[in-house]
Short mmCIF file of all heavy atoms in Angstrom, two decimals:
data_model
loop_
_atom_site.label_atom_id
_atom_site.label_comp_id
_atom_site.label_asym_id
_atom_site.label_seq_id
_atom_site.Cartn_x
_atom_site.Cartn_y
_atom_site.Cartn_z
N GLY A 4 -128.50 -123.86 1.79
CA GLY A 4 -128.25 -123.82 3.23
C GLY A 4 -128.89 -124.95 3.99
O GLY A 4 -129.05 -124.86 5.21
N THR A 5 -129.26 -126.03 3.29
CA THR A 5 -129.96 -127.13 3.91
C THR A 5 -129.16 -128.42 3.83
O THR A 5 -128.61 -128.74 2.78
CB THR A 5 -131.33 -127.37 3.22
OG1 THR A 5 -132.09 -126.17 3.29
CG2 THR A 5 -132.10 -128.49 3.88
N VAL A 6 -129.09 -129.16 4.94
CA VAL A 6 -128.46 -130.48 4.95
C VAL A 6 -129.52 -131.49 5.37
O VAL A 6 -130.28 -131.26 6.31
CB VAL A 6 -127.24 -130.51 5.90
CG1 VAL A 6 -127.58 -130.06 7.31
CG2 VAL A 6 -126.60 -131.89 5.90
N LEU A 7 -129.60 -132.60 4.61
CA LEU A 7 -130.71 -133.53 4.73
C LEU A 7 -130.25 -134.97 4.87
O LEU A 7 -129.26 -135.38 4.26
CB LEU A 7 -131.58 -133.45 3.46
CG LEU A 7 -132.18 -132.09 3.11
CD1 LEU A 7 -132.40 -132.00 1.61
CD2 LEU A 7 -133.48 -131.89 3.86
N ALA A 8 -131.00 -135.74 5.63
CA ALA A 8 -130.88 -137.19 5.64
C ALA A 8 -131.99 -137.73 4.77
O ALA A 8 -133.13 -137.27 4.82
CB ALA A 8 -131.02 -137.73 7.06
N VAL A 9 -131.65 -138.72 3.93
CA VAL A 9 -132.63 -139.33 3.02
C VAL A 9 -133.07 -140.65 3.64
O VAL A 9 -132.27 -141.58 3.77
CB VAL A 9 -132.03 -139.54 1.63
CG1 VAL A 9 -133.07 -140.12 0.69
CG2 VAL A 9 -131.47 -138.23 1.06
N LEU A 10 -134.35 -140.71 4.04
CA LEU A 10 -134.86 -141.87 4.76
C LEU A 10 -135.88 -142.64 3.92
O LEU A 10 -136.45 -142.11 2.96
CB LEU A 10 -135.53 -141.42 6.07
CG LEU A 10 -134.71 -140.52 7.00
CD1 LEU A 10 -135.56 -140.12 8.21
CD2 LEU A 10 -133.43 -141.20 7.44
N ASP A 11 -136.13 -143.89 4.32
CA ASP A 11 -137.13 -144.73 3.68
C ASP A 11 -138.51 -144.30 4.18
O ASP A 11 -138.82 -144.41 5.38
CB ASP A 11 -136.86 -146.19 4.05
CG ASP A 11 -137.80 -147.16 3.34
OD1 ASP A 11 -138.83 -146.71 2.81
OD2 ASP A 11 -137.50 -148.37 3.33
N ALA A 12 -139.36 -143.81 3.27
CA ALA A 12 -140.67 -143.30 3.67
C ALA A 12 -141.59 -144.40 4.19
O ALA A 12 -142.48 -144.14 5.01
CB ALA A 12 -141.33 -142.59 2.49
N ALA A 13 -141.40 -145.64 3.73
CA ALA A 13 -142.25 -146.73 4.21
C ALA A 13 -142.00 -147.00 5.69
O ALA A 13 -142.93 -147.28 6.45
CB ALA A 13 -141.99 -147.99 3.39
N ARG A 14 -140.75 -146.90 6.11
CA ARG A 14 -140.41 -147.11 7.52
C ARG A 14 -140.61 -145.86 8.36
O ARG A 14 -140.86 -145.94 9.57
CB ARG A 14 -138.96 -147.57 7.63
CG ARG A 14 -138.69 -148.93 7.02
CD ARG A 14 -137.25 -149.35 7.28
NE ARG A 14 -136.95 -150.67 6.76
CZ ARG A 14 -135.78 -151.29 6.90
NH1 ARG A 14 -134.79 -150.67 7.54
NH2 ARG A 14 -135.59 -152.48 6.39
N HIS A 15 -140.49 -144.71 7.72
CA HIS A 15 -140.58 -143.43 8.44
C HIS A 15 -141.51 -142.49 7.68
O HIS A 15 -141.05 -141.57 6.99
CB HIS A 15 -139.18 -142.82 8.60
CG HIS A 15 -138.18 -143.76 9.19
ND1 HIS A 15 -138.13 -144.04 10.54
CD2 HIS A 15 -137.21 -144.51 8.62
CE1 HIS A 15 -137.17 -144.91 10.77
NE2 HIS A 15 -136.60 -145.22 9.62
N PRO A 16 -142.82 -142.71 7.78
CA PRO A 16 -143.77 -141.86 7.06
C PRO A 16 -143.59 -140.39 7.43
O PRO A 16 -143.34 -140.07 8.60
CB PRO A 16 -145.13 -142.39 7.54
CG PRO A 16 -144.85 -143.77 8.03
CD PRO A 16 -143.47 -143.74 8.59
N PRO A 17 -143.70 -139.49 6.45
CA PRO A 17 -143.45 -138.08 6.74
C PRO A 17 -144.35 -137.49 7.81
O PRO A 17 -143.90 -136.70 8.64
CB PRO A 17 -143.66 -137.39 5.37
CG PRO A 17 -144.34 -138.40 4.51
CD PRO A 17 -143.95 -139.73 5.02
N GLN A 18 -145.64 -137.88 7.82
CA GLN A 18 -146.54 -137.33 8.83
C GLN A 18 -146.12 -137.79 10.23
O GLN A 18 -146.17 -137.00 11.19
CB GLN A 18 -147.98 -137.75 8.55
CG GLN A 18 -149.00 -137.16 9.53
CD GLN A 18 -149.11 -135.66 9.43
OE1 GLN A 18 -149.56 -135.13 8.43
NE2 GLN A 18 -148.70 -134.95 10.50
N ALA A 19 -145.70 -139.05 10.34
CA ALA A 19 -145.26 -139.55 11.64
C ALA A 19 -144.01 -138.83 12.12
O ALA A 19 -143.89 -138.49 13.30
CB ALA A 19 -145.00 -141.06 11.56
N LEU A 20 -143.08 -138.57 11.20
CA LEU A 20 -141.88 -137.81 11.57
C LEU A 20 -142.25 -136.40 12.00
O LEU A 20 -141.73 -135.89 12.99
CB LEU A 20 -140.92 -137.76 10.38
CG LEU A 20 -139.93 -138.90 10.20
CD1 LEU A 20 -139.13 -138.70 8.91
CD2 LEU A 20 -138.98 -139.00 11.39
N ALA A 21 -143.14 -135.76 11.24
CA ALA A 21 -143.55 -134.39 11.58
C ALA A 21 -144.21 -134.35 12.95
O ALA A 21 -143.96 -133.44 13.75
CB ALA A 21 -144.50 -133.85 10.51
N ASP A 22 -145.05 -135.33 13.24
CA ASP A 22 -145.71 -135.38 14.56
C ASP A 22 -144.68 -135.56 15.67
O ASP A 22 -144.75 -134.89 16.71
CB ASP A 22 -146.72 -136.52 14.60
CG ASP A 22 -147.94 -136.26 13.72
OD1 ASP A 22 -148.14 -135.10 13.32
OD2 ASP A 22 -148.66 -137.23 13.41
N ALA A 23 -143.72 -136.46 15.45
CA ALA A 23 -142.72 -136.74 16.48
C ALA A 23 -141.85 -135.51 16.77
O ALA A 23 -141.39 -135.32 17.89
CB ALA A 23 -141.84 -137.91 16.06
N LEU A 24 -141.65 -134.67 15.74
CA LEU A 24 -140.78 -133.50 15.88
C LEU A 24 -141.57 -132.22 16.13
O LEU A 24 -140.98 -131.13 16.18
CB LEU A 24 -139.93 -133.34 14.62
CG LEU A 24 -138.94 -134.49 14.35
CD1 LEU A 24 -138.36 -134.39 12.95
CD2 LEU A 24 -137.82 -134.47 15.39
N ALA A 25 -142.89 -132.34 16.28
CA ALA A 25 -143.76 -131.18 16.52
C ALA A 25 -143.61 -130.14 15.43
O ALA A 25 -143.47 -128.93 15.69
CB ALA A 25 -143.47 -130.57 17.90
N LEU A 26 -143.65 -130.58 14.18
CA LEU A 26 -143.51 -129.67 13.04
C LEU A 26 -144.89 -129.22 12.54
O LEU A 26 -145.87 -129.95 12.65
CB LEU A 26 -142.76 -130.35 11.89
CG LEU A 26 -141.41 -130.97 12.23
CD1 LEU A 26 -140.75 -131.51 10.95
CD2 LEU A 26 -140.49 -129.97 12.91
N GLU A 27 -144.92 -128.02 11.97
CA GLU A 27 -146.14 -127.49 11.37
C GLU A 27 -146.22 -127.96 9.92
O GLU A 27 -145.33 -127.70 9.12
CB GLU A 27 -146.14 -125.96 11.42
CG GLU A 27 -147.33 -125.33 10.70
CD GLU A 27 -147.19 -123.82 10.56
OE1 GLU A 27 -146.19 -123.27 11.06
OE2 GLU A 27 -148.07 -123.21 9.93
N VAL A 28 -147.30 -128.64 9.58
CA VAL A 28 -147.48 -129.11 8.20
C VAL A 28 -147.97 -127.94 7.34
O VAL A 28 -148.98 -127.31 7.66
CB VAL A 28 -148.48 -130.28 8.14
CG1 VAL A 28 -148.74 -130.69 6.69
CG2 VAL A 28 -147.98 -131.46 8.95
N VAL A 29 -147.24 -127.66 6.26
CA VAL A 29 -147.62 -126.56 5.38
C VAL A 29 -148.04 -127.05 4.00
O VAL A 29 -148.57 -126.28 3.21
CB VAL A 29 -146.48 -125.53 5.25
CG1 VAL A 29 -146.24 -124.82 6.57
CG2 VAL A 29 -145.18 -126.18 4.78
N LEU A 30 -147.79 -128.31 3.70
CA LEU A 30 -148.21 -128.87 2.43
C LEU A 30 -148.39 -130.38 2.59
O LEU A 30 -147.49 -131.07 3.05
CB LEU A 30 -147.17 -128.60 1.34
CG LEU A 30 -147.46 -129.21 -0.05
CD1 LEU A 30 -148.71 -128.57 -0.66
CD2 LEU A 30 -146.27 -129.03 -0.98
N ASP A 31 -149.57 -130.86 2.20
CA ASP A 31 -149.84 -132.30 2.23
C ASP A 31 -150.93 -132.59 1.21
O ASP A 31 -152.11 -132.71 1.54
CB ASP A 31 -150.27 -132.75 3.63
CG ASP A 31 -150.42 -134.27 3.73
OD1 ASP A 31 -150.05 -134.96 2.78
OD2 ASP A 31 -150.90 -134.74 4.78
N GLU A 32 -150.53 -132.67 -0.05
CA GLU A 32 -151.48 -132.93 -1.12
C GLU A 32 -150.76 -133.44 -2.36
O GLU A 32 -149.59 -133.14 -2.59
CB GLU A 32 -152.28 -131.67 -1.46
CG GLU A 32 -151.45 -130.51 -1.94
CD GLU A 32 -152.27 -129.25 -2.20
OE1 GLU A 32 -153.33 -129.09 -1.58
OE2 GLU A 32 -151.83 -128.44 -3.03
N ASP A 33 -151.47 -134.22 -3.16
CA ASP A 33 -150.94 -134.75 -4.42
C ASP A 33 -149.60 -135.46 -4.23
O ASP A 33 -148.70 -135.36 -5.08
CB ASP A 33 -150.78 -133.63 -5.45
CG ASP A 33 -152.10 -132.94 -5.78
OD1 ASP A 33 -153.14 -133.65 -5.75
OD2 ASP A 33 -152.10 -131.74 -6.04
N GLY A 34 -149.46 -136.16 -3.11
CA GLY A 34 -148.23 -136.91 -2.87
C GLY A 34 -147.07 -136.07 -2.40
O GLY A 34 -145.96 -136.59 -2.20
N LYS A 35 -147.27 -134.77 -2.21
CA LYS A 35 -146.21 -133.90 -1.73
C LYS A 35 -146.45 -133.54 -0.26
O LYS A 35 -147.59 -133.30 0.14
CB LYS A 35 -146.13 -132.61 -2.57
CG LYS A 35 -145.74 -132.86 -4.02
CD LYS A 35 -145.65 -131.55 -4.78
CE LYS A 35 -145.24 -131.78 -6.23
NZ LYS A 35 -145.16 -130.51 -6.99
N PHE A 36 -145.37 -133.50 0.48
CA PHE A 36 -145.48 -133.21 1.93
C PHE A 36 -144.35 -132.28 2.33
O PHE A 36 -143.21 -132.43 1.89
CB PHE A 36 -145.38 -134.51 2.73
CG PHE A 36 -145.60 -134.33 4.20
CD1 PHE A 36 -146.86 -134.45 4.75
CD2 PHE A 36 -144.54 -134.03 5.05
CE1 PHE A 36 -147.08 -134.28 6.12
CE2 PHE A 36 -144.74 -133.87 6.41
CZ PHE A 36 -146.01 -133.99 6.95
N MET A 37 -144.69 -131.30 3.15
CA MET A 37 -143.67 -130.40 3.70
C MET A 37 -144.13 -129.90 5.06
O MET A 37 -145.28 -129.47 5.22
CB MET A 37 -143.40 -129.22 2.77
CG MET A 37 -142.25 -128.33 3.22
SD MET A 37 -141.91 -126.98 2.06
CE MET A 37 -141.24 -127.92 0.69
N ALA A 38 -143.24 -130.00 6.04
CA ALA A 38 -143.53 -129.51 7.38
C ALA A 38 -142.26 -128.93 7.97
O ALA A 38 -141.15 -129.33 7.60
CB ALA A 38 -144.06 -130.64 8.26
N GLY A 39 -142.40 -127.97 8.88
CA GLY A 39 -141.20 -127.36 9.45
C GLY A 39 -141.47 -126.64 10.75
O GLY A 39 -142.62 -126.41 11.13
N ARG A 40 -140.39 -126.31 11.41
CA ARG A 40 -140.47 -125.55 12.67
C ARG A 40 -139.14 -124.82 12.88
O ARG A 40 -138.07 -125.41 12.72
CB ARG A 40 -140.74 -126.49 13.85
CG ARG A 40 -140.64 -125.83 15.23
CD ARG A 40 -141.16 -126.77 16.31
NE ARG A 40 -140.47 -128.05 16.35
CZ ARG A 40 -139.34 -128.28 17.04
NH1 ARG A 40 -138.75 -127.29 17.71
NH2 ARG A 40 -138.78 -129.48 17.04
N GLU A 41 -139.23 -123.54 13.22
CA GLU A 41 -138.01 -122.79 13.51
C GLU A 41 -137.50 -123.19 14.89
O GLU A 41 -138.18 -123.04 15.89
CB GLU A 41 -138.27 -121.29 13.46
CG GLU A 41 -136.99 -120.47 13.56
CD GLU A 41 -137.23 -118.98 13.33
OE1 GLU A 41 -138.15 -118.43 13.97
OE2 GLU A 41 -136.50 -118.38 12.53
N VAL A 42 -136.28 -123.69 14.90
CA VAL A 42 -135.66 -124.17 16.14
C VAL A 42 -134.81 -123.08 16.77
O VAL A 42 -134.76 -122.94 18.00
CB VAL A 42 -134.81 -125.42 15.86
CG1 VAL A 42 -134.05 -125.87 17.10
CG2 VAL A 42 -135.68 -126.55 15.32
N THR A 43 -134.14 -122.30 15.93
CA THR A 43 -133.23 -121.26 16.42
C THR A 43 -133.51 -119.94 15.71
O THR A 43 -133.71 -119.91 14.50
CB THR A 43 -131.76 -121.65 16.16
OG1 THR A 43 -131.45 -122.85 16.84
CG2 THR A 43 -130.81 -120.55 16.62
N SER A 44 -133.56 -118.87 16.47
CA SER A 44 -133.61 -117.52 15.92
C SER A 44 -132.91 -116.62 16.92
O SER A 44 -133.42 -116.38 18.01
CB SER A 44 -135.05 -117.06 15.69
OG SER A 44 -135.06 -115.74 15.16
N ARG A 45 -131.71 -116.16 16.55
CA ARG A 45 -130.95 -115.35 17.51
C ARG A 45 -130.17 -114.27 16.79
O ARG A 45 -129.83 -114.40 15.62
CB ARG A 45 -130.01 -116.24 18.31
CG ARG A 45 -129.00 -117.02 17.48
CD ARG A 45 -128.27 -118.03 18.32
NE ARG A 45 -127.41 -118.91 17.54
CZ ARG A 45 -127.01 -120.11 17.92
NH1 ARG A 45 -127.39 -120.59 19.09
NH2 ARG A 45 -126.24 -120.85 17.15
N ASP A 46 -129.89 -113.20 17.52
CA ASP A 46 -129.13 -112.08 16.98
C ASP A 46 -127.64 -112.36 17.06
O ASP A 46 -127.15 -112.90 18.06
CB ASP A 46 -129.44 -110.80 17.74
CG ASP A 46 -130.89 -110.36 17.58
OD1 ASP A 46 -131.52 -110.77 16.59
OD2 ASP A 46 -131.39 -109.61 18.44
N LEU A 47 -126.93 -111.98 16.02
CA LEU A 47 -125.48 -112.07 15.99
C LEU A 47 -124.92 -110.72 15.58
O LEU A 47 -125.45 -110.06 14.70
CB LEU A 47 -125.02 -113.14 14.99
CG LEU A 47 -125.35 -114.59 15.30
CD1 LEU A 47 -124.88 -115.48 14.15
CD2 LEU A 47 -124.68 -115.04 16.59
N HIS A 48 -123.83 -110.35 16.21
CA HIS A 48 -123.17 -109.09 15.86
C HIS A 48 -121.96 -109.38 14.99
O HIS A 48 -121.06 -110.13 15.40
CB HIS A 48 -122.74 -108.32 17.11
CG HIS A 48 -122.04 -107.03 16.81
ND1 HIS A 48 -120.68 -106.87 16.92
CD2 HIS A 48 -122.53 -105.84 16.37
CE1 HIS A 48 -120.35 -105.64 16.58
NE2 HIS A 48 -121.46 -104.99 16.24
N ASP A 49 -121.94 -108.82 13.79
CA ASP A 49 -120.82 -108.98 12.88
C ASP A 49 -119.81 -107.88 13.21
O ASP A 49 -120.01 -106.71 12.90
CB ASP A 49 -121.30 -108.86 11.44
CG ASP A 49 -120.19 -109.11 10.43
OD1 ASP A 49 -119.02 -109.06 10.83
OD2 ASP A 49 -120.49 -109.35 9.25
N ALA A 50 -118.73 -108.26 13.88
CA ALA A 50 -117.74 -107.27 14.33
C ALA A 50 -117.09 -106.55 13.15
O ALA A 50 -116.68 -105.40 13.27
CB ALA A 50 -116.68 -107.96 15.18
N GLN A 51 -116.99 -107.20 12.01
CA GLN A 51 -116.31 -106.59 10.86
C GLN A 51 -117.14 -105.48 10.23
O GLN A 51 -116.64 -104.41 9.92
CB GLN A 51 -115.98 -107.65 9.81
CG GLN A 51 -115.19 -107.12 8.61
CD GLN A 51 -114.70 -108.24 7.71
OE1 GLN A 51 -114.50 -109.36 8.17
NE2 GLN A 51 -114.52 -107.94 6.45
#
């Protein structure tokens, strides 16, 4: 369920991107980085 753009890390460091997008860093160790933020959470009614 994920769609991604693959960027050059030298030009766009992950921490800088996370800061610019106000993301919560959940992993930053051993060369691995992961940050995220929930943008949408809404109720939907399935009529069927």
Side-chain angles (χ1 to χ4, degrees):
T5 302
V6 55
L7 302 152
V9 182
L10 308 177
D11 184 344
R14 294 184 178 182
H15 308 282
Q18 183 65 67
L20 273 176
D22 290 344
L24 296 168
L26 306 185
E27 175 189 358
V28 176
V29 293
L30 177 65
D31 186 8
E32 60 183 27
D33 300 327
K35 295 181 179 180
F36 185 91
M37 186 177 291
R40 172 170 57 87
E41 188 173 49
V42 175
T43 299
S44 180
R45 59 189 173 203
D46 295 338
L47 293 176
H48 179 256
D49 184 343
Q51 184 171 333

